Amino acid sequence: MPTFAANLTMMFNEWSFLDRFDAAADAGFAAVEYLFPYEASPEAIAERLTRNKLQQALFNLPPGDWAAGERGIAALPGRFDELKSDVERALNYAAATGVKRLHLMAGLADPSDAEAASCYRRSVAYTAARLAENGIDLLIEPINGRNMPGYFLNHFGAAERLITDLGLPNLKLQFDVYHRQILHGDVTMALRRLLPITGHIQVASVPSRSEPDGEELNYPYLFGEIDRLDYRGFVGCEYIPRDRTLDGLDWFKPFARR
């Protein structure tokens, strides 16, 4: 069955950030992911990973000024030098944590704007090439406009075309099942078709974005399908618990490491 990574930005919020590593390991997770590591030191995160025998599945490159509402800068004109600096910052954390995949957020921009599209393509190509020097995959993720209005990369077809056009072996799709269902539906057929370019999968229920144990999607079937497709990567649990994290892990207990 898939190797599940607890998303420590959304899960285990009953603990401080570094203590969430311990809590996730105690709950039986073998891997973790989160949006951003940059408020903790690389050394502190590496120590928690080692202590708990956890794998680092994924994190995002710096997103610009998150507190001010930025959601990435890759598609924003005039930010390329900042992006290059951000890539180096992320690589410091990658070296400490051993992560093999990083996600680049596009930012808030009109997908039909030619300048934004050119900036995004340049940013993706540069970042993928720089990460390839360190044996790391670059992921791009379509995000639905209900959760992130105005996000530049808001269509799976656009992500697929860019990955195909650039033809970079370490450029992969981040297939978030929650976003896919809201944007397009047809999750199973999309998984079957896009798995060759998929580098990471994420899950949550739809529409509440909580535990993957009900609502619109049949997750037992989808988990079985992921196995049938022989997917060898991580499945990130990017969901918001309905109550305390530990109270909502019945869905996960059959998959917990022993």
Side-chain angles (χ1 to χ4, degrees):
M1 293 300 287
T3 299
F4 291 92
N7 187 297
L8 301 186
T9 300
M10 296 184 173
M11 301 172 67
F12 298 102
N13 280 196
E14 301 85 355
W15 289 264
S16 65
F17 176 68
L18 288 175
D19 287 343
R20 292 173 201 172
F21 291 79
D22 305 347
D26 289 345
F29 284 93
V32 294
E33 63 175 44
Y34 34 77
L35 294 186
F36 312 110
Y38 307 108
E39 292 186 3
S41 72
E43 296 78 14
I45 293 175
E47 192 278 329
R48 295 295 178 126
L49 291 169
T50 300
R51 179 200 305 182
N52 291 292
K53 297 181 174 61
L54 288 167
Q55 297 181 78
Q56 181 68 59
L58 172 77
F59 59 81
N60 295 342
L61 287 104
D65 191 340
W66 186 267
E70 290 191 324
R71 294 297 181 262
I73 62 173
L76 305 187
R79 306 292 290 275
F80 188 64
D81 286 342
E82 182 181 347
L83 178 132
K84 291 194 290 185
S85 176
D86 287 344
V87 170
E88 300 309 310
R89 186 181 183 197
L91 283 172
N92 288 333
Y93 281 82
T97 62
V99 72
K100 294 301 180 184
R101 57 201 60 76
L102 297 176
H103 170 225
L104 178 66
M105 298 193 73
L108 306 181
D110 184 349
S112 67
D113 183 276
E115 186 178 14
S118 176
C119 289
Y120 185 59
R121 186 182 183 96
R122 180 190 187 195
S123 296
V124 169
Y126 171 84
T127 305
R130 185 70 185 92
L131 297 190
E133 297 172 13
N134 295 269
I136 297 171
D137 288 344
L138 176 65
L139 305 181
I140 59 173
E141 177 189 27
I143 296 177
N144 80 80
R146 186 164 76 205
N147 288 97
M148 199 170 287
Y151 193 68
F152 177 81
L153 186 62
N154 62 7
H155 197 285
F156 272 68
E160 181 183 7
R161 285 191 296 273
L162 182 60
I163 292 168
T164 301
D165 288 350
L166 289 175
L168 302 171
N170 72 320
L171 178 58
K172 304 290 185 181
L173 175 68
Q174 186 164 314
F175 192 118
D176 188 306
V177 173
Y178 170 81
H179 292 306
R180 173 72 201 196
Q181 175 68 0
I182 292 170
L183 285 168
H184 311 296
D186 201 23
V187 171
T188 300
M189 296 303 291
L191 274 171
R192 291 174 182 174
R193 191 172 64 81
L194 296 174
L195 195 72
I197 63 168
T198 295
H200 190 65
I201 295 173
Q202 291 177 320
V203 297
S205 63
V206 181
S208 72
R209 205 176 192 179
S210 58
E211 287 86 349
D213 58 6
E215 301 182 3
E216 290 183 15
L217 295 171
N218 180 355
Y219 268 112
Y221 174 84
L222 288 174
F223 294 152
E225 183 67 16
I226 289 168
D227 266 357
R228 287 188 288 273
L229 293 171
D230 199 30
Y231 172 71
R232 301 298 181 89
F234 295 99
V235 174
C237 304
E238 194 181 53
Y239 67 78
I240 302 167
R242 297 184 184 96
D243 197 353
R244 296 188 309 170
T245 302
L246 293 177
D247 292 341
L249 289 181
D250 283 349
W251 73 269
F252 169 70
K253 289 175 182 178
F255 312 109
R257 67 180 178 184
R258 299 289 182 244

